[in-house]
Amino acid sequence: MSAHRRKTKRRHPFRGLGRKLLITGCAVTAIAGGTAWYAYQDLAGSIGSSKALEGAEKSKFGDTNILLMGLDSRRDQNGEKLPEEVLDKLHAGSSDIGGYNANTLILLHVPGDGGRPTAFSVPRDDFVAIPGHGKDKVKKAYGLAKAAREDALTAQGVKDQRELEREGREAGRKAQLETVRNFLGVPVDHFAELNLAGFYHLADALKGVPVCLKKPVKDKYSGADFPAGRQNLNGQQSLAFVRQRHGLEAGDLDRTKRQQAFLAGATHKLNSVGTFTDPTKLMKLIDSAKEDVVTDAGWDLLSFVKQAKNLSGGKTRFVTLPIERFGRNHGEDINVVDDMKIKRLIAEQIGPKASEGPGGPSTPPASGEASSAAPAGAPASSPSPGASGKGAADGGGIPCVD
């Protein structure tokens, strides 16, 4: 028996080493899990939280609709002016301009069955119904409601500026969410809001965002000054990139494509540099989010981070919602839109299941890819960035835009 035992031991010389490796692996997993949990707790406890979606209708069948709102505000979450050195880097002018317009509105639809996500860009000058206000540019819903709420509170004797800012912003979020929800005809399950500095800090946290331009551009208003081809933009350059509209053939519509290209590049970078698996990189991204981002209360961000890892694989379709023509309202340029056409387009792209929200018709999904549409007489739109999963040849998989 003793000889047999000695013989057996000689057959498995690495059994002890295997056990050690297994124990070490478990320890590493526990540490990684602890880091992720700490990061989530830190983010959940520090990021701005809003109750603007309380009681709102939710999507069915496991689908999720997320509204991304980018404010044109030069102020922080407390209404304080951004430091002058930050404004200089942003090339965005004084803190007294910009207001609280939602200049970036993108509805991200994530199918519950694991299908391909679609991001719908709403042009900021679309002329739509704003609850309690009548028709105006879609971007104004936030600022109009914020100002009205602050005026009402001031009339009641409220003087604390932080309270006015907090209550005003909550009213603005509710109005913007309701406006978009009614316009598109689908529920909004979650939202994320960020200001101008958010683009800057996101690009900085990622150590640059890759983009691709079809031709060189230079614009003194936004500060954009880029050569043609693929390039990696730092925070200051990224903000100039997403803000440029002067010098672009289709103006605001081309700027919308810039925003799509920035998101495509950012999600590509998230995946390619291992942000989701590198605790240091993840913590830097989380610190950036705490500074600039507000989300709805109750959103399980840890689950979404896991989902975002899959979203960053370059499969998201980007669609710019069509306009009928350009027009004027009280001296301002507007985009004239067909509300029912928009609702039908949304229903066709994401399917009738996800379109059973307020005002959403049930129509069968359309075949083929979505694309941007320009109004009659306007420059034709190029295919939406990311629609094919590949950009122009010199983009290296990053969509090339004007």
Side-chain angles (χ1 to χ4, degrees), residues 3 30 107-109 150 156 173 227 252 259 268 324-325 343 377 397:
L107 184 80
L108 176 63
H109 171 72
E150 289 177 359
Q156 296 172 16
R173 292 168 188 134
D252 259 0
Q259 296 166 357
H268 175 83
E324 300 302 303
R325 57 185 172 84
K343 289 179 172 64

Side-chain angles (χ1 to χ4, degrees), residues 161-367:
Q161 289 302 312
R162 289 206 170 192
E163 181 180 353
L164 291 171
E165 183 73 14
R166 182 178 63 254
E167 293 294 327
R169 286 204 176 196
E170 278 293 87
R173 292 168 188 134
K174 288 180 181 179
Q176 193 68 67
L177 289 161
E178 185 177 359
T179 299
V180 172
R181 184 167 57 236
N182 292 343
F183 178 42
L184 303 186
V186 293
V188 175
D189 303 289
H190 300 294
F191 79 90
E193 168 196 310
L194 73 162
N195 58 17
L196 281 179
F199 286 99
Y200 175 90
H201 290 131
L202 174 60
D204 182 59
L206 292 173
K207 296 189 181 300
V209 171
V211 302
C212 179
L213 284 169
K214 296 178 182 177
K215 54 188 178 184
V217 296
K218 190 169 185 178
D219 171 39
K220 66 178 181 179
Y221 297 99
S222 64
D225 186 1
F226 310 121
R230 178 166 173 168
Q231 50 213 288
N232 197 59
L233 304 185
N234 62 28
Q236 185 172 351
Q237 293 170 327
S238 293
L239 186 61
F241 177 80
V242 298
R243 291 184 65 238
Q244 184 187 1
R245 62 187 175 93
H246 296 282
L248 301 180
E249 189 175 7
D252 259 0
L253 296 182
D254 278 341
R255 177 156 77 168
T256 297
K257 293 180 184 178
R258 294 287 191 88
Q259 296 166 357
Q260 295 171 349
F262 175 84
L263 287 176
T267 53
H268 175 83
K269 188 67 173 285
L270 280 169
N271 196 47
S272 64
V273 300
T275 301
F276 295 111
T277 56
D278 186 319
T280 302
K281 293 177 181 177
L282 185 59
M283 288 303 295
K284 186 171 183 180
L285 187 64
I286 287 172
D287 285 340
S288 173
K290 289 190 296 186
E291 191 170 351
D292 304 302
V293 179
V294 174
T295 67
D296 56 288
W299 189 1
D300 186 348
L301 292 172
L302 183 59
S303 294
F304 183 71
V305 164
K306 294 177 181 177
Q307 191 176 38
K309 184 178 180 181
N310 298 323
L311 291 176
S312 63
K315 296 182 178 180
T316 301
R317 289 185 302 172
F318 288 90
V319 180
T320 301
L321 297 180
I323 68 176
E324 300 302 303
R325 57 185 172 84
F326 299 121
R328 300 279 291 177
N329 179 63
H330 298 302
E332 294 184 330
D333 294 326
I334 61 170
N335 300 331
V336 179
V337 295
D338 183 330
D339 293 43
M340 291 310 299
K341 179 187 288 187
I342 296 296
K343 289 179 172 64
R344 285 195 298 270
L345 182 147
I346 296 290
E348 289 169 355
Q349 296 302 325
I350 67 179
K353 292 191 302 181
S355 302
E356 294 178 356
S362 289
T363 55
S367 60

